[in-house]
């Protein structure tokens, strides 16, 4: 992925451990790209955040970002690149968070609009730059990257709101999205996790959610938004693994049932017949 390689190479060449943060601070003084203008034209931060998350791929597809509202009245913009399958340095995350912090400050006219900021990486020796940029409590070595704001801030009207301009920008961004390669769905991340976990006797919804740095509720919601459920994805992965293992003549049907976590061979037979319309033995003999 080009953007990942770019950030990695810059991080290796640059001697400043804060360069991503400082760049985000400078860029935050302006809307920065069509996405920033769309956020600024939105009626409030809640609408702006939801639009930014929906169209985020236009500016960066290295790590998806999510927006949730919690039961205690907070909005949380968050991401976690740990399960992405590549090593992403912390600089682009600090760039994004710094840009959001500074741009939000200008947009809302509020000096300290953030409740809390968290980072997955360790704290630097010098926190003065972070304190200047974020102006709120910070946590390092956290489970994920977060920007947390209270509901009152989400409802604050944007001083630059412009519904007509927002519609024009949104139409343009949709056009840009159509030019991009198809983005892997969230369910694909769940499938990848299950494919790794099931053969090792794991793969509960709690284990998968923990591996993706999500709550169970958030995982279920994201799957629901894609028209599926954890049970459906689990069942599909189990079926695909069963077909792959049955093609290995060295494995008995009983061994395949055990690897896939079935209580016994008859339970595997029932599930396989439901999937394929034939028993595992008949499917194997057919050479499919």
């Amino acid at each position: 992925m080009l953007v990942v390689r770019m950030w990695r190479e810059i991080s290796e060449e640059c001697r400043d451990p804060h360069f991503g943060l400082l760049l985000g601070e400078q860029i935050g003084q302006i809307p920065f790209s069509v996405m920033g203008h769309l956020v600024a034209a939105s009626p409030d931060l809640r609408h702006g955040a939801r639009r930014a998350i929906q169209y985020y791929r236009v500016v960066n597809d290295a790590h998806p970002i999510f927006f949730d509202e919690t039961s205690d009245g907070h909005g949380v913009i968050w991401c976690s690149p740990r399960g992405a399958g590549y090593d992403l340095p912390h600089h682009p995350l600090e760039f994004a968070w710094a840009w959001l912090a500074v741009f939000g400050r200008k947009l809302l006219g509020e000096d300290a609009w953030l409740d809390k900021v968290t980072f997955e990486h360790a704290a630097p020796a010098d926190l003065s730059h972070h304190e200047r940029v974020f102006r709120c409590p910070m946590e390092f070595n956290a489970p994920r990257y977060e920007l947390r704001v209270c509901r009152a801030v989400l409802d604050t009207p944007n001083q630059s709101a412009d519904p007509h301009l927002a519609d024009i920008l949104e139409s343009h961004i949709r056009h840009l999205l159509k030019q991009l390669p198809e983005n892997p769905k969230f369910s694909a991340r769940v499938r990848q996790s299950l494919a790794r976990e099931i053969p090792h006797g794991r793969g509960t919804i709690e284990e998968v959610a923990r591996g993706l740095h999500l709550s169970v509720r958030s995982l279920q919601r994201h799957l629901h938004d894609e028209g599926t459920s954890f049970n459906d994805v689990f069942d599909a992965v189990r079926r695909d693994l069963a077909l792959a293992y049955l093609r290995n003549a060295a494995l008995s049907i009983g061994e395949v049932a055990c690897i896939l976590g079935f209580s016994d061979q008859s339970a595997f037979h029932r599930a396989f017949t439901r999937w394929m319309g034939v028993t595992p033995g008949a499917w194997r003999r057919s050479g499919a």
Side-chain angles (χ1 to χ4, degrees), residues 201-229:
R202 300 187 295 267
T204 65
I205 190 169
E206 291 82 8
E207 288 166 335
V208 172
R210 188 162 54 249
L212 296 175
H213 306 285
L214 292 170
S215 68
V216 169
R217 183 178 176 184
S218 291
L219 184 146
Q220 290 171 323
R221 182 168 61 254
H222 291 309
L223 289 175
H224 179 268
D225 289 344
E226 293 185 2
T228 187
S229 69

Side-chain angles (χ1 to χ4, degrees), residues 17-281:
H18 304 293
F19 88 90
L21 180 80
L22 298 177
L23 181 61
E25 181 183 23
Q26 292 299 313
I27 299 296
Q29 304 295 327
I30 58 176
F32 181 56
S33 83
V34 65
M35 186 65 69
H37 287 286
L38 177 61
V39 173
S42 299
D44 53 42
L45 186 60
R46 175 182 284 105
H47 286 84
R50 291 198 179 282
R51 279 170 161 164
I53 301 309
Q54 182 179 0
Y55 303 123
Y56 185 69
R57 286 193 70 222
V58 169
V59 295
N60 188 345
D61 64 352
H63 49 84
I65 289 183
F66 304 94
F67 174 73
D68 292 327
E69 293 190 60
T70 65
S71 57
D72 64 355
H74 282 85
V76 182
I77 300 171
W78 66 271
C79 71
S80 180
R82 286 175 174 166
Y86 45 77
D87 182 23
L88 186 68
H90 70 271
H91 301 291
L93 281 307
E94 288 202 329
F95 167 83
W97 264 206
W99 178 82
L100 286 167
V102 175
F103 184 56
R105 188 175 302 129
K106 292 177 67 66
L107 192 66
L108 299 169
E110 295 285 343
D111 184 62
W113 66 280
L114 293 169
D115 278 9
K116 187 178 182 181
V117 179
T118 70
F119 306 90
E120 288 184 2
H121 59 273
D126 178 10
L127 281 174
S128 60
H129 297 301
H130 291 75
E131 291 167 349
R132 182 185 66 252
V133 170
F134 297 108
R135 306 179 190 181
C136 68
M138 295 178 290
E139 179 185 348
F140 292 85
N141 289 320
R144 64 188 189 182
Y145 290 89
E146 282 188 4
L147 291 175
R148 185 173 290 259
V149 299
C150 69
R151 184 168 293 160
V153 171
L154 292 175
D155 293 332
T156 302
N158 281 346
Q159 300 174 13
S160 56
D162 187 332
H164 181 62
L165 176 59
D167 289 343
I168 294 173
L169 292 170
E170 197 161 12
S171 177
H172 177 59
I173 290 174
R174 289 198 188 103
H175 175 73
L176 294 177
L177 276 177
K178 291 178 181 179
Q179 315 307 312
L180 297 176
E182 184 177 353
N183 193 30
K185 293 184 177 181
F186 177 79
S187 55
R189 297 176 63 196
V190 176
R191 286 182 61 90
Q192 290 171 356
S193 178
L194 284 169
R196 292 192 301 267
E197 300 294 341
I198 288 175
H200 299 285
R202 300 187 295 267
T204 65
I205 190 169
E206 291 82 8
E207 288 166 335
V208 172
R210 188 162 54 249
L212 296 175
H213 306 285
L214 292 170
S215 68
V216 169
R217 183 178 176 184
S218 291
L219 184 146
Q220 290 171 323
R221 182 168 61 254
H222 291 309
L223 289 175
H224 179 268
D225 289 344
E226 293 185 2
T228 187
S229 69
F230 182 81
N231 287 340
D232 288 343
V233 178
F234 184 93
D235 198 51
V237 172
R238 227 180 186 187
R239 178 201 62 212
D240 292 347
L241 288 174
L243 297 177
Y245 287 133
L246 286 172
R247 290 189 178 98
N248 183 353
L251 293 174
S252 69
I253 292 176
E255 287 173 323
V256 173
C258 182
I259 291 171
L260 296 177
F262 285 94
S263 57
D264 53 43
Q265 191 167 324
S266 61
F268 175 52
H269 272 249
R270 289 193 297 271
F272 194 89
T273 302
R274 173 171 56 83
W275 293 330
M276 306 303 296
V278 296
T279 66

